[in-house]
Amino acid sequence: MGKKVIIIGGGLAGLSAGCYAAMNGFETQIFEHHSVPGGVAATWKRGGYTIDGGIHFVVGHKPGNDMHKILDELGAAEPALFTDMRDYGNFIHEPSGISIQINGDVEKLSAKLKAMAPADIEMIEDFFKGVKAFRGHDFSTMGMTNPPELATVFSRIKEMWQMRSVIKYFTGPYTKKISDYALGIQTPWLRDFFCNLFLSESPVWFPMLYLAIVADKQAGFLAKGCLPFVLAIEKHYKSLGGEISYRSTVEKILVDNNRAVGVRLADGQEFRGDYVISCGDGYNTVFNLLNGEYTDEIMKDRYETWPLCRSFLTISYGVNRLFKNELPLNTVILKKPLVIGNEQVKSLLIRILNYSDHFAPAGKSVFQIEVETGFDYWYKLQESDRKSYEDEKQWVASALLQQVEKQVLRQ
Ligand SMILES: Cc1cc2nc3c(=O)[nH]c(=O)nc-3n(C[C@H](O)[C@H](O)[C@H](O)COP(=O)(O)OP(=O)(O)OC[C@H]3O[C@@H](n4cnc5c(N)ncnc54)[C@H](O)[C@@H]3O)c2cc1C
């Protein structure tokens, strides 16, 4: 056996690190806190329905790009795991009554937006020029097929050359938040349209790239949810001789002469290895598992001052009907915001899992509503009063259902 690598966390990163370490001749052991693999790529059952709570789609599900090669190496490229994402989704703007289908035909979409918002033609053209620039290239791994440490001068030049047509979108105004970019838009619904293509804090280039990927048919839904995808990687990892221990929480990374030499679990057991890779939470790794002893001011400043991504609440519904004609993704900008806790919810994302019949019994469906709500409100509520927390969840689920039943999901 070769040298031993200890990996903290059995999410997608930990399992992938385990596979690659095993493929390269290392003895590997993953310690995972939970009883199942996958981390946030989680799927669970409720009364005959399959609730997919994490990843819904992946890039590179079909051969011909770098990400597909990686999926193949990880044992997760089986075509039955995926179904093509044909269209992006619907944008429904209740205040103006506008509804737009965002499909793979980006040329047509751009022309439609220009006809509907003539005051913003310049902005629309600028954005879709970016989408066009990203099309037809393989950006599935964003030039990170090789780890930076293994990149050579030649491979860097090659990557730069491949990226030449889009380099400008990784600089200047396109690195700004899309919500800032959209400030220049005069038509109010169009501003909402751009801000809701993805997260409003994502850089401008990201939705450009994303629309290009959908237009190039390079995105695929996980047809059976994320669990079979995760289990395929776990199976591959084990077939390579990798070990994984569940319900095993790493409490400390053991250090000797400023070198990680193993881990101590919460139950006191210690395991030694030649390398330790942490694929758990970054903050916990740096400030708890390593006692904050191997950090610097730049890292501290990032954790202290960088804003966190806003938190989302997802409610999943099992319903006694099919959604045959609806698109899987529907963004709704509400006419009347809904008040949840002390915040106004102005938009909803409705995700309809109708791209395979795996999620619900025959004739039935699962759909999900995602809204942005502050984490602190829910955390404090469940800490102080469990009953109020459960009641509030029920209330939000009913209020949102009423909201979408009114028009979006009308039969
Ligand atoms: C709701 C949601 C939807 C998403 N949708 C998509 C999508 O459609 N497409 C896409 O490409 N990406 C999507 N993502 C992103 C993607 O799911 C994540 O980037 C990816 O799964 C992260 O994997 P990870 O292994 O880095 O982290 P995690 O999944 O967080 O795994 C970390 C693991 O480490 C374990 N762990 C942590 N600390 C310890 C410890 N001390 N000891 C032992 N174990 C420990 C945890 O239990 C966990 O299992 C989505 C993410 C979320 C949350």
Side-chain angles (χ1 to χ4, degrees):
M1 261 299 174
K3 290 189 169 183
K4 181 165 181 178
V5 179
I6 288 180
I7 297 163
I8 305 169
L12 289 173
L15 291 171
S16 307
C19 286
Y20 280 106
M23 282 183 238
N24 283 286
F26 291 95
E27 189 188 338
T28 55
Q29 182 156 20
I30 298 176
F31 293 102
E32 167 53 48
H33 164 79
H34 199 10
S35 52
V36 287
V40 299
T43 308
W44 59 94
K45 288 266 182 201
R46 279 284 187 290
Y49 294 88
T50 300
I51 311 299
D52 208 15
I55 291 197
H56 294 85
F57 69 89
V58 294
V59 173
H61 68 302
K62 286 198 291 206
N65 56 65
D66 286 338
M67 183 55 90
H68 189 269
K69 279 187 220 147
I70 292 177
L71 293 180
D72 199 28
E73 285 169 355
L74 293 173
E78 172 62 41
L81 291 171
F82 311 101
T83 175
D84 286 349
M85 187 196 276
R86 282 184 289 274
D87 292 308
Y88 187 77
N90 270 324
F91 171 76
I92 300 155
H93 195 263
E94 288 185 352
S96 62
I98 275 172
S99 168
I100 298 166
Q101 190 171 330
I102 311 168
N103 56 27
D105 190 343
V106 282
E107 305 276 321
K108 210 163 157 185
L109 176 62
S110 160
K112 188 171 176 182
L113 293 175
K114 284 193 274 183
M116 290 169 78
D120 293 297
I121 285 184
E122 215 177 297
M123 200 83 177
I124 298 166
E125 282 181 346
D126 182 60
F127 182 84
F128 280 91
K129 218 167 146 184
V131 177
K132 196 172 170 192
F134 278 105
R135 290 203 60 188
H137 299 286
D138 178 11
F139 292 116
S140 60
T141 58
M142 294 300 297
M144 290 185 279
T145 313
N146 286 319
E149 297 82 358
L150 299 184
T152 59
V153 173
F154 177 71
S155 69
R156 284 212 186 98
I157 293 172
K158 194 174 151 209
E159 269 163 17
M160 293 291 278
W161 178 251
Q162 282 164 346
M163 307 269 286
R164 68 195 181 283
S165 61
V166 292
I167 280 289
K168 92 172 223 200
Y169 296 104
F170 295 115
T171 56
Y174 306 104
T175 56
K176 279 203 292 194
K177 285 193 259 181
I178 192 143
S179 53
D180 291 342
Y181 176 81
L183 288 175
I185 295 175
Q186 294 177 39
T187 316
W189 65 260
L190 189 67
R191 211 174 298 138
D192 287 335
F193 174 88
F194 277 109
C195 290
N196 286 278
L197 279 170
F198 197 70
L199 300 177
S200 59
E201 57 268 76
S202 67
V204 180
W205 61 261
F206 189 78
M208 285 176 174
L209 167 67
Y210 196 70
L211 285 184
I213 285 173
V214 176
D216 287 347
K217 302 195 173 21
Q218 285 301 326
F221 285 115
L222 290 172
K224 299 174 184 174
C226 42
L227 186 63
F229 178 70
V230 168
L231 291 180
I233 304 177
E234 189 216 34
K235 186 175 165 199
H236 190 60
Y237 170 67
K238 286 182 174 168
S239 77
L240 292 164
E243 273 184 63
I244 185 159
S245 309
Y246 293 105
R247 296 191 179 89
S248 302
T249 308
V250 172
E251 196 180 64
K252 278 284 167 259
I253 294 177
L254 306 172
V255 177
D256 197 5
N257 280 329
N258 291 326
R259 200 184 155 85
V261 291
V263 292
R264 187 169 70 238
L265 305 189
D267 65 7
Q269 290 188 79
E270 291 191 358
F271 295 84
R272 300 266 159 176
D274 298 284
Y275 301 96
V276 177
I277 302 176
S278 178
C279 296
D281 168 67
Y283 181 89
N284 190 39
T285 302
V286 174
F287 295 98
N288 297 329
L289 304 185
L290 286 167
N291 295 328
E293 285 166 20
Y294 297 92
T295 184
D296 56 21
E297 289 312 312
I298 297 174
M299 177 88 80
K300 280 189 198 155
D301 182 64
R302 286 179 181 165
Y303 276 111
E304 276 165 20
T305 61
W306 282 16
L308 293 174
C309 183
R310 287 163 299 160
S311 52
F312 282 83
L313 176 73
T314 302
I315 299 126
S316 301
Y317 302 84
V319 289
N320 189 12
R321 61 164 285 195
L322 291 174
F323 296 97
K324 284 204 168 132
N325 302 314
E326 287 79 0
L327 290 184
L329 270 188
N330 299 272
T331 302
V332 186
I333 309 298
L334 298 171
K335 193 170 195 169
K336 192 164 169 267
L338 200 73
V339 178
I340 299 182
N342 42 17
E343 281 181 280
Q344 292 206 339
V345 171
K346 294 182 181 154
S347 64
L348 326 168
L349 181 73
I350 305 170
R351 207 185 274 283
I352 305 175
L353 308 191
N354 60 352
Y355 40 82
S356 94
D357 54 12
H358 185 83
F359 298 103
K364 302 176 197 284
S365 311
V366 170
F367 75 87
Q368 303 175 316
I369 304 179
E370 279 177 28
V371 291
E372 278 181 32
T373 67
F375 174 79
D376 289 347
Y377 171 72
W378 292 97
Y379 186 72
K380 281 181 191 149
L381 199 58
Q382 62 93 28
E383 282 275 282
S384 64
D385 179 1
R386 193 76 203 178
K387 175 150 187 338
S388 304
Y389 170 72
E390 295 296 341
D391 290 348
E392 181 72 349
K393 280 209 297 187
Q394 280 303 327
W395 178 82
V396 171
S398 313
L400 286 172
L401 186 61
Q402 265 181 23
Q403 191 81 35
V404 298
E405 265 182 333
K406 264 194 307 186
Q407 43 174 305
V408 185
L409 300 179
R410 258 184 326 201
Q411 258 176 320

